[in-house]
Each structure stands twice: as C-alpha cells, then as structure tokens.
Amino acid sequence: MANAAPANRPPAQPSGVQIISVDELKTGQRGEVWTVFRGTEPEPFTVEVTGVVRNALGPGKSLILCQLTDPRVQSMGAVAGMSGSPLYVDGKLAGALSYQIQRFETVRYAGFTPAADLIEVQTKMAAAADSSAAPVAPSVANTTSDGFRPLRPVFTLSGLSPVVADLFAPKLAALGLSATSLGGSTQTASLNSQPSTLNSSPLTPGSAVAVALATGDITLAGTGTVSNVEGNAITAFGHPMLSLGEVALPMCAAEIVTILPSNMQSVKVANTGAVIGTITQDRLSAVSGRLGEGPEMTDVEVTVSSRTAPSKTLKFSVARQEQLTPVLVATGVTQAILGSNDAGLSKGFLLRSDVMFPAKPTLASRTLYSGPQGFQQGLTEFVQDLAQSLQNPYEKTFPKRVVFNVEALDENPAVTLELFQLSRSAARAGEVVQATLAWRDFQGEARRQTVDIPIDPSWTGRDLEVVLAPGRVLDEMSGRPRVLQAAQLRSFDAYLAALRDSRAADGLCLAVVEKTRLFTDQTSGTPDAPASIERIARAADEARFNHVDALVPLWESHVLHGKLSSATLRRSLKVDE
C-alpha cells in the first residue's frame, strides 16, 4: 500500500500515438474519452464499446458505436464542442467522438471516427505543401432527424449585438455555419494574435481548441476538441467543419465556460482565445493543422464618426475564402452601423470603402444610405457588391486590407422627385434646352433646380432622349453589366478597372442619350462597329466580344449631389436642322 497513488490524484491520460484498429475492438470493452468540461484541463469520462458500424459514412468509412456509461454524460448525451474528444481503449487511441446518435434515445450513445481515419487526414496535411487543389465551396452537412448526425461545432459570434447576429444567421446558415451568440472571446482590438492566458499551456489530446473565421474585435469561431498531437501537428473534431478541403484558417486556444444540457443538442459554451496556429485541412474525418504562426488574413477596419459622439473603430481580421470573406466583412460593417446607437446614424450615413490588393491601386467606393433601415434593406446588395470586389477569378490573391469609414449625416438624404420636364422637346443646333427638376426633401421643404443642356450641332437630325436616373441604372442602360463575368475580361487589372468605372452612387445622372447597338470588348463598347470587325473578333473569342442594345450618353451631368432617389424618367428630344 506504500506505493499506492493518493486518492485525489487525477487519472493519468494515455500518452503516445499507438492506435487500436476497429478490427481489434470487442463488444463490452471499456474506454475513456478525454474532454474539457470546464476551463482548459481535459478529464475523462467512461464509455462501453457497443460495436463497429461498417461503411456507415461511405465505403471504407466505419463508425465506432459506444454507450455513454458515465453518469455526467449519460444525462446530457454527446455535446457539441466534444467533437474530436479522443477515445482510448486499453491505453491505445481508438478514435474520436464525432457523431450524435438519434436525439431522444433513452440510453445515450455516440459515434466515434476510427483512429486510422484521423491519421489519414494528418497525412494529407503533410502532403498539402505539394498540392495546388482549388478551394472547395462550403457545404451543409446532412442534418436529418434520425441516424448519424455529426456534432458540428457551434460557431460562436462575439462582439456582435443580438440584432446583427440575428440578421446574419440566415446568411451564415446558407454557408453551412450554425452560429450562436452564446459564447465570448478574449480578443479585442487586435488584427492578429495577442497575449492570452488561454494559450499558456500546450495542447494535449482532449484539450479544447477553436477554428476561427474572424478574429479581433469581432470573432466567429467553432469550438471542438483535440484528438491527437504529434509534435506541432494537431488533429481535431473527428468530422468536417465545413468540408472546405485545403484551407488556411486560424487555430485558436479555447476555454470552456460550461455545458448547457439539452435533449435536442447539448452545447459547450466557450471563450475563444489567441491564435496559436493554422488549420490546413477540413476533411470528412477531421480537421488538422500546425501550431505556430496563424495564416494570412484580410485585415478590416471600420470607423464610425459623427458630430455628436467620439469616433469609434472596430478592428478585426477575416479568413481568406471566396464565399465566406464577403459575408464576414459585411457582418463587421453592419455591427459598426447598427450597433452604434450613440453615433447618430438614424438620419443616414455615408459609407466609404477602400479595398487594398497587393501591388494594385486601391479600389475605392462611396455609397449613401438613408439611415440604418435603408442599409438593412440593401444588405443583400451590399454583400453582393462586396463579394464582387473581393472575389478574384484571375490571380491567387486576396485583399490585404479593407478600410471602411462611416460618416453620420445631418439629415436624411432620401428625396421625392415631383417634377422633371424639358423647356422644349425639339431644338436646333446651338440652342439651349432647360431641364427642370423639382423635389421634396425627406420631411422637408420643396426644392427646384434648372440645368442647361447645350445642343451640340452633331446631334442634328437624330432622335434622342433625355434620361434622369441613378448612376447604377444609367450604367446598365449604357451597356455595363450589373455583374462582371470573368470571361468578359482578360486580367485582374482589367477587372479592377471595370469595377472602378462606374457612376456615382448618390444623386441622379441627367444625360442626353441615343439608342444604339454596342459591340462590346470586355466592358467597353463601340457603337455600330463594322460587321467585318465583329465577325473576326467573335470568331477569336465569343465570350469576350458581344452585341448589346444600349443607350450611348452624348452629354451628361450629375445632379442632386448627396441625395438619394430611385426615380428613372425619360423625355424625348429631337434636334432639327
């Protein structure tokens, strides 16, 4: 008895990476699963091997079925956040907790991904340096009510108001992200990692770990459990996160605050800590990565200013992934706008954005909104526009930095147009036609403006129109596509130039136009090009060269600066000899 261990000494966790295959497992064998119930230290709970479900997840992809015999876990079932908790049988690694079985079973069971499949993902990580596989789009996993359900990590949104979290929940769900605001983060005002008590101890099998999509003042991260550690190589989760394949996502320390039991799905509530490495694989059987430096990310800064309150700035970084990045950036911008009650944005605001790509001129835009409600109504269009700016079909590059400035307006910019008329519908060369606009400000006084349109001699004998329309509408009328197609352009520089070549987003454009058939090369058009040139060009590249019916502006002016109107009006104009 002299050598007996003290009664209060915690159980020792098996060490090493020796594994036991599914063929060696026997019904009734006892096992230990290591996970964090609270804090950062893993502790075990007991299970009993029920059997192996062969080819449960596909050919050659079996699942170990175990009964959760520990009273603590039997009452709550498999918990979202326990994903990846290592299962040891006879001191050897057998697998990782990964799947919920049913939902309302009277005796709790769980599915475990076999250790061999975990090692397979870790092997893919080692070979990834020589791979040039294209990114895979996010996919939503099977969430049927019966059968095997992966314990998909619940992504925690921190730094967001409930209004913004609810607003973006459907957009994130469409990308396969189940997000909740039940969690927190120790990261604030940081564009990368920062010192934290959560990464003071090394990760071990059973440790909590988070995979982040955004870090800093706004954090979006999914918490799971480490399955295996070999040197600085980490395998976790035991199932896919978003089925992205090869990735570059921040690996973060995590602290479990508590577990919320539920008959539907028990959940770990966690704080996300500092970046401690990079996740490089997101596969069917696990995620894997390496401890050390975090991945390259896109830095985002949003500053909100007004005359009545001090400026406030949000700083965060988002993962570089084609489908995710625009939504994540828009989430942060929305938080800065809708979460700034003291910034005086109720009347409206001006949003300036600067997107900075490596070694490229800055892509700048300027958009006016009639209050937070106007922004909320146009949120889908905002995300689409941002996606068009951030997605890059030509070069393997992402923005290094995106800067937004939100400036509160003193009055609502929305106006109601009450009159648009020409002083005459026919004129001669050298004369002046006056266009009169009358409008009423938002809950304000009536206003009027007269614009002189000089009649150019070259317009003689032509049937023209005078158009009053928002800049984006006139862009489309004049043949500029609403969405730029990659096949229409030859380079990333041409793509950025096309994005810059758009009319002002505020006010209205007053233009004298003529109907024509444009022969387009990339996004520029040539009116009435010779048929011989068209035949030669289209034979060389049919996707790039096209014919469109459009209006060609012969003269134009920008009116109602700093105002918003959706009016589109047209008046005929004939120029006689």
Side-chain angles (χ1 to χ4, degrees):
M1 298 295 291
N3 295 327
N8 61 351
R9 176 177 295 178
Q13 183 175 1
S15 59
V17 293
Q18 189 175 5
I19 68 172
I20 182 171
S21 69
V22 292
D23 295 329
E24 298 176 84
L25 295 175
K26 297 179 177 60
T27 300
Q29 281 181 297
R30 306 281 289 179
E32 283 186 345
V33 179
W34 285 74
T35 197
V36 177
F37 285 85
R38 182 168 294 180
T40 59
E41 292 299 321
E43 53 184 294
F45 64 86
T46 58
V47 298
E48 182 179 294
V49 176
T50 302
V52 177
V53 186
R54 305 284 177 172
N55 302 313
L57 306 178
K61 298 299 178 187
S62 300
L63 205 62
I64 303 168
L65 186 61
C66 292
Q67 182 180 339
L68 307 178
T69 55
D70 191 301
R72 294 173 298 173
V73 183
Q74 180 58 221
S75 63
M76 67 179 70
V79 176
M82 284 185 178
S83 302
S85 299
L87 164 65
Y88 296 98
V89 175
D90 293 339
K92 299 177 181 179
L93 179 64
L97 195 157
S98 52
Y99 283 80
Q100 180 184 17
I101 309 298
Q102 300 284 350
R103 270 186 173 172
F104 301 103
E105 66 272 26
T106 56
V107 178
R108 304 283 193 175
Y109 288 83
F112 292 76
T113 299
D117 292 336
L118 303 176
I119 302 302
E120 180 184 3
V121 176
Q122 198 159 307
T123 302
K124 287 183 179 293
M125 179 183 66
D130 299 326
S131 173
S132 58
V136 181
S139 63
V140 180
N142 180 10
T143 56
T144 56
S145 59
D146 298 320
F148 304 122
R149 295 167 48 83
L151 290 168
R152 297 183 64 79
V154 175
F155 282 82
T156 297
L157 287 163
S158 57
L160 295 183
S161 69
V163 171
V164 177
D166 290 344
L167 185 62
F168 274 87
K171 299 179 184 300
L172 295 173
L175 296 172
L177 290 167
S178 174
T180 177
S181 55
L182 289 173
S185 171
T186 63
Q187 304 180 36
T188 55
S190 171
L191 295 182
N192 280 300
S193 59
Q194 65 178 40
S196 171
T197 57
L198 295 189
N199 67 339
S200 57
S201 58
L203 291 183
T204 62
S207 294
V209 69
V211 179
L213 301 175
T215 61
D217 285 340
I218 293 171
T219 301
L220 175 60
T223 302
T225 303
V226 175
S227 308
N228 190 35
V229 180
E230 287 190 42
N232 67 346
I234 301 295
T235 305
F237 286 22
H239 57 64
M241 183 186 68
L242 293 171
S243 299
L244 294 173
E246 292 187 15
V247 294
L249 301 174
M251 181 196 308
C252 297
E255 172 192 38
I256 305 304
V257 178
T258 191
I259 295 176
L260 300 180
S262 168
N263 283 330
M264 290 291 290
Q265 176 67 78
S266 299
V267 177
K268 286 185 178 182
V269 178
N271 283 323
T272 302
V275 177
I276 57 174
T278 300
I279 294 293
T280 60
Q281 298 290 320
D282 178 15
R283 302 289 179 175
L284 172 68
S285 301
V287 301
S288 63
R290 295 190 180 278
L291 294 168
E293 295 293 328
E296 290 187 350
M297 300 179 73
T298 295
D299 296 336
V300 183
E301 182 176 313
V302 189
T303 299
V304 179
S305 60
S306 72
R307 295 181 182 178
T308 59
S311 296
K312 290 188 176 181
T313 300
L314 288 177
K315 295 182 179 180
F316 58 101
S317 296
V318 299
R320 296 181 176 183
Q321 207 283 333
E322 285 82 353
Q323 287 79 18
L324 296 174
T325 301
V327 176
L328 297 176
V329 173
T331 302
V333 176
T334 305
Q335 171 60 30
I337 293 169
L338 300 185
S340 301
N341 295 329
D342 57 348
L345 299 177
S346 59
K347 295 181 179 179
F349 59 92
L350 172 65
L351 176 65
R352 292 187 176 91
S353 66
D354 293 292
V355 182
M356 290 159 247
F357 289 91
K360 304 291 182 184
T362 297
L363 180 63
S365 67
R366 181 180 182 275
T367 310
L368 206 61
Y369 292 95
S370 58
Q373 292 76 19
F375 173 75
Q376 188 169 343
Q377 292 169 2
L379 185 59
T380 299
E381 184 175 287
F382 176 80
V383 173
Q384 291 173 347
D385 288 348
L386 196 58
Q388 183 169 296
S389 300
L390 297 182
Q391 292 180 10
N392 171 12
Y394 303 98
E395 297 180 10
K396 292 183 178 180
T397 186
F398 262 88
K400 293 176 60 178
R401 192 162 180 252
V402 184
V403 176
F404 295 91
N405 285 283
V406 183
E407 180 182 339
L409 301 178
D410 293 332
E411 60 182 28
N412 193 311
V415 300
T416 301
L417 196 67
E418 296 182 331
L419 174 70
F420 170 50
Q421 66 180 20
L422 302 180
S423 59
R424 66 185 81 175
S425 59
R428 296 180 182 276
E431 294 182 339
V432 173
V433 172
Q434 290 186 327
T436 300
L437 290 72
W439 70 92
R440 188 173 294 277
D441 287 336
F442 182 80
Q443 297 180 343
E445 59 184 291
R447 297 178 181 273
R448 180 180 291 259
Q449 180 181 1
T450 301
V451 181
D452 290 342
I453 303 175
I455 303 302
D456 192 290
S458 65
W459 301 350
T460 302
R462 297 155 77 172
D463 289 326
L464 309 174
E465 284 186 315
V466 180
V467 173
L468 182 68
R472 178 168 289 177
V473 174
L474 186 56
D475 281 342
E476 295 178 12
M477 287 180 170
S478 56
R480 186 181 188 276
R482 176 68 181 88
V483 177
L484 298 175
Q485 302 295 327
Q488 296 176 292
L489 301 161
R490 289 174 288 183
S491 68
F492 185 46
D493 287 333
Y495 179 74
L496 292 178
L499 290 176
R500 294 189 194 95
D501 186 24
S502 58
R503 290 175 172 85
D506 69 320
L508 295 172
C509 291
L510 178 66
V512 178
V513 300
E514 182 180 29
K515 293 181 181 179
T516 189
R517 187 164 175 79
L518 283 180
F519 178 63
T520 62
D521 173 5
Q522 301 190 75
T523 57
S524 61
T526 302
D528 300 321
S532 58
I533 294 178
E534 293 183 25
R535 286 194 297 271
I536 295 171
R538 287 181 62 82
D541 190 341
E542 187 172 354
R544 176 180 150 194
F545 298 97
N546 290 281
H547 248 142
V548 294
D549 293 322
L551 301 177
V552 176
L554 306 177
W555 173 94
E556 66 180 277
S557 177
H558 185 213
V559 297
L560 295 181
H561 296 269
K563 303 293 184 181
L564 281 180
S565 172
S566 59
T568 299
L569 301 170
R570 302 167 75 157
R571 301 287 184 262
S572 62
L573 176 65
K574 186 174 182 180
V575 177
D576 299 321
E577 295 182 359

